[in-house]
Amino acid sequence: MMRKSQMIFLVITFVCLLTIISIPEFIKSLTPNEHLETKKIKGGGIEYRLTQGNFHIGNDIPEGYYDVTSDGDNYFNGTELSDGDHFLGLRLYDSNIAQVTGKGTIKLKKSAFSPVSKEGDSYEIHHSGFYTVGKQIQAREYIITYETRNDEVLKEDPWFQIISDDLQKIIGGDSFGDANQFEVDLKENTWLELNQSGFSTNKNVSFFLRPVK
């Protein structure tokens, strides 16, 4: 039978091994990410500047909603953003990894969720992203369509989704293939996700929401 002293020795050895194994990860978590810079924004807040690499949400960048801007041609979490493009209202979740590929810089700042520009009862939206219904866009029935500047031929079709308040359930949506418009019923406390060209942003694409008469 194993003596009590031997048992204690094995337990201590096992704990020490676990400690040795976890130390590199612990040290890594305390080491600043060389691909990340922070800058204070006028009026308060912080802008996060990311170059090519991986970033731990909750460690490198706090969890939350962010407006994404690209300086240069980059991919951020699989979405292609060309120079000067934006993707608004993106939720980054704790313990997830955000990835940047490309030669430019991705800038993140906390989402402003500003009201969408409006002409009469109609909305004109110029950026891909997530928009809150009831705050940025009035809840009601709309005809949703899009237009391209200079009749540009897109690599992929624009598309949209209507998503639940917790971003966990897709309520509806479609791709602008042969159809160039859809009728949608936007309810309070839902999200409208808009994508200008597949999983790419495109500064020449604008979406329009016009109330159903």
Side-chain angles (χ1 to χ4, degrees):
M1 293 181 65
M2 185 178 293
R3 295 179 181 177
K4 185 176 181 180
S5 59
Q6 291 176 309
M7 179 68 76
I8 294 172
F9 174 77
L10 288 175
V11 170
I12 292 173
T13 302
F14 180 69
V15 171
C16 289
L17 284 172
L18 285 179
T19 303
I20 292 170
I21 292 170
S22 63
I23 282 176
E25 287 301 316
F26 175 72
I27 293 175
K28 185 178 179 180
S29 70
L30 297 178
T31 304
N33 192 322
E34 62 181 2
H35 299 284
L36 171 66
E37 294 182 359
T38 58
K39 178 184 177 181
K40 289 185 177 180
I41 301 173
K42 185 178 180 180
I46 296 175
E47 179 181 80
Y48 299 87
R49 298 184 173 188
L50 290 57
T51 54
Q52 184 169 320
N54 294 325
F55 305 87
H56 295 262
I57 308 305
N59 182 17
D60 295 322
I61 304 165
E63 179 182 42
Y65 294 93
Y66 289 90
D67 292 338
V68 184
T69 303
S70 180
D71 283 350
D73 296 325
N74 297 286
Y75 283 85
F76 182 72
N77 279 3
T79 296
E80 182 181 5
L81 295 93
S82 57
D83 189 26
D85 275 352
H86 305 281
F87 192 100
L88 307 181
L90 180 65
R91 177 65 188 266
L92 298 180
Y93 290 91
D94 195 21
S95 300
N96 284 1
I97 301 293
Q99 185 179 62
V100 175
T101 57
K103 296 182 180 180
T105 301
I106 289 290
K107 298 178 180 179
L108 302 178
K109 63 179 181 180
K110 287 295 182 72
S111 295
F113 292 117
S114 301
V116 175
S117 60
K118 197 173 183 182
E119 184 173 338
D121 291 331
S122 300
Y123 293 95
E124 183 174 344
I125 302 174
H126 302 288
H127 303 297
S128 294
F130 292 81
Y131 296 85
T132 57
V133 179
K135 295 180 181 178
Q136 294 178 277
I137 300 169
Q138 182 183 352
R140 64 183 301 174
E141 293 183 4
Y142 293 95
I143 299 295
I144 181 171
T145 186
Y146 78 95
E147 294 178 7
T148 59
R149 188 184 304 167
N150 301 323
D151 296 322
E152 179 180 342
V153 177
L154 302 176
K155 293 186 296 183
E156 297 180 78
D157 294 325
W159 56 277
F160 71 95
Q161 289 189 142
I162 303 168
I163 309 175
S164 61
D165 185 41
D166 59 4
L167 294 172
Q168 299 302 308
K169 182 181 178 182
I170 297 174
I171 299 169
D174 218 319
S175 174
F176 292 92
D178 295 330
N180 62 3
Q181 66 178 34
F182 295 92
E183 187 171 320
V184 296
D185 186 7
L186 299 184
K187 304 288 189 183
E188 196 93 9
N189 299 322
T190 59
W191 295 86
L192 176 63
E193 179 187 3
L194 299 172
N195 289 271
Q196 293 165 312
S197 179
F199 289 96
S200 303
T201 62
N202 188 315
K203 290 180 287 187
N204 293 322
V205 175
S206 296
F207 293 95
F208 296 87
L209 295 175
R210 299 183 174 97
V212 174
K213 301 298 183 181

